[in-house]
């Protein structure tokens, strides 16, 4: 996708703050510090549009990034940050559920997991949320930080993630590295096929 103009439209915490343009939305969710902001910057060819922090739990809003007035990439707050207070965690849960369950313009959720480690209990819980709210839709998982894996770990870790998440034949697992372009192009291929209503081509004839 040739990108010309991108901007952070709004950082929302309530439904009434969400954009009202009607544009399709593609959301990225994962545990704190899994690499959502880095991935979004990579996709948008920007270095710091999405703020990258070394402090887990930094993102506490739903951030909508406008891409050429065509689609939104949506960065959801990270989960699994133990230092959050109970009241803050409950607020986070309601904000996430309101968005995932009630947002009509949400086309696809991408679940990010760290390729270096087995998916956590929180990852499995989020996957259950996705399967519940997006029933009948393929699950798309992005395994981040693959550049930090040794060659002998790559296939083994991806297979481990696939089995741990109990992915099926219609689901997709995308390796993603900030050091090359392959994962970026794959994610954009997925977004563009969904955007134009040709989702079924995702897994036909080895398309991905």
């Amino acid at each position: 996708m040739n990108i010309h103009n991108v901007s952070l439209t709004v950082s929302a915490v309530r439904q009434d703050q969400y954009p009202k343009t009607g544009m399709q939305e593609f959301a990225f969710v994962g545990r704190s510090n899994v690499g959502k902001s880095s991935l979004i910057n990579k996709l948008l060819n920007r270095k710091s549009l999405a703020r990258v922090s070394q402090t887990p739990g930094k993102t506490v809003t739903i951030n909508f990034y406008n891409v050429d007035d065509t689609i939104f990439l949506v960065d959801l707050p990270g989960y699994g940050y133990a230092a959050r207070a109970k009241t803050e965690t409950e607020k986070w849960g309601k904000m996430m559920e309101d968005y995932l369950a009630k947002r009509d313009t949400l086309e696809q959720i991408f679940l990010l997991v760290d390729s270096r480690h087995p998916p956590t209990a929180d990852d499995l819980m989020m996957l259950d949320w996705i399967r519940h709210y997006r029933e009948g839709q393929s699950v798309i998982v992005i395994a981040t930080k693959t550049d930090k894996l040794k060659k002998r770990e790559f296939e083994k870790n991806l297979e481990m993630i696939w089995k741990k998440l109990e992915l099926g034949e219609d689901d997709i697992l995308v390796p993603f590295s900030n050091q090359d372009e392959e994962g970026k192009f794959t994610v954009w291929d997925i977004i563009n096929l969904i955007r134009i209503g040709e989702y079924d081509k995702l897994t036909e004839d080895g398309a991905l």
Side-chain angles (χ1 to χ4, degrees):
M1 184 172 183
N2 294 321
I3 299 171
H4 302 288
N5 297 298
V6 296
S7 61
L8 173 60
T9 297
V10 66
S11 295
V13 295
R14 303 187 312 271
Q15 293 183 60
D16 60 3
Q17 297 173 327
Y18 299 165
K20 298 175 177 60
T21 63
M23 294 193 309
Q24 295 167 304
E25 295 170 9
F26 297 84
F28 298 87
V29 64
R31 68 176 181 80
S32 298
N33 215 26
V34 74
K36 293 191 306 299
S37 297
S38 295
L39 179 142
I40 288 172
N41 285 330
K42 181 79 171 180
L43 291 176
L44 299 178
N45 300 320
R46 300 294 190 273
K47 289 185 178 180
S48 57
L49 180 64
R51 292 186 179 181
V52 178
S53 174
Q54 299 302 314
T55 304
K58 192 71 172 178
T59 302
V60 293
T61 56
I62 300 176
N63 296 328
F64 293 80
Y65 295 94
N66 182 325
V67 184
D68 286 333
D69 290 329
T70 303
I71 63 171
F72 283 108
L73 299 188
V74 184
D75 184 8
L76 276 73
Y79 52 78
Y81 183 45
R84 279 201 174 109
K86 182 179 178 181
T87 53
E88 186 179 356
T89 300
E90 290 173 351
K91 181 179 177 182
W92 173 94
K94 184 180 187 309
M95 179 169 57
M96 294 283 282
E97 190 163 2
D98 282 347
Y99 179 76
L100 295 176
K102 302 175 182 177
R103 188 62 170 165
D104 292 338
T105 48
L106 175 59
E107 291 288 340
Q108 182 69 48
I109 302 167
F110 293 83
L111 173 63
L112 277 64
V113 298
D114 191 325
S115 66
R116 299 170 298 175
H117 311 292
T120 66
D122 289 319
D123 291 327
L124 295 173
M125 184 180 298
M126 177 54 67
L127 182 58
D128 286 342
W129 273 28
I130 293 171
R131 284 176 169 150
H132 175 72
Y133 292 124
R134 316 297 292 182
E135 186 177 1
Q137 191 176 74
S138 298
V139 172
I140 301 177
V141 178
I142 301 176
T144 62
K145 307 185 182 183
T146 56
D147 50 290
K148 300 183 183 297
L149 295 176
K150 297 177 181 177
K151 286 185 177 181
R152 59 181 172 80
E153 296 175 321
F154 187 85
E155 292 295 338
K156 182 180 72 172
N157 283 32
L158 291 182
E159 183 177 355
M160 173 267 296
I161 290 169
W162 186 277
K163 290 181 177 178
K164 183 76 173 179
L165 296 178
E166 298 182 349
L167 299 179
E169 60 181 11
D170 293 329
D171 299 326
I172 296 171
L173 177 60
V174 182
F176 195 93
S177 164
N178 276 324
Q179 303 303 313
D180 60 45
E181 302 294 297
E182 183 176 357
K184 180 178 84 170
F185 292 145
T186 301
V187 173
W188 272 123
D189 284 344
I190 293 170
I191 290 173
N192 285 327
L193 285 172
I194 295 172
R195 186 171 62 86
I196 62 176
E198 296 187 356
Y199 187 86
D200 290 343
K201 290 187 177 180
L202 284 175
T203 54
E204 287 180 2
D205 302 322
L208 293 173

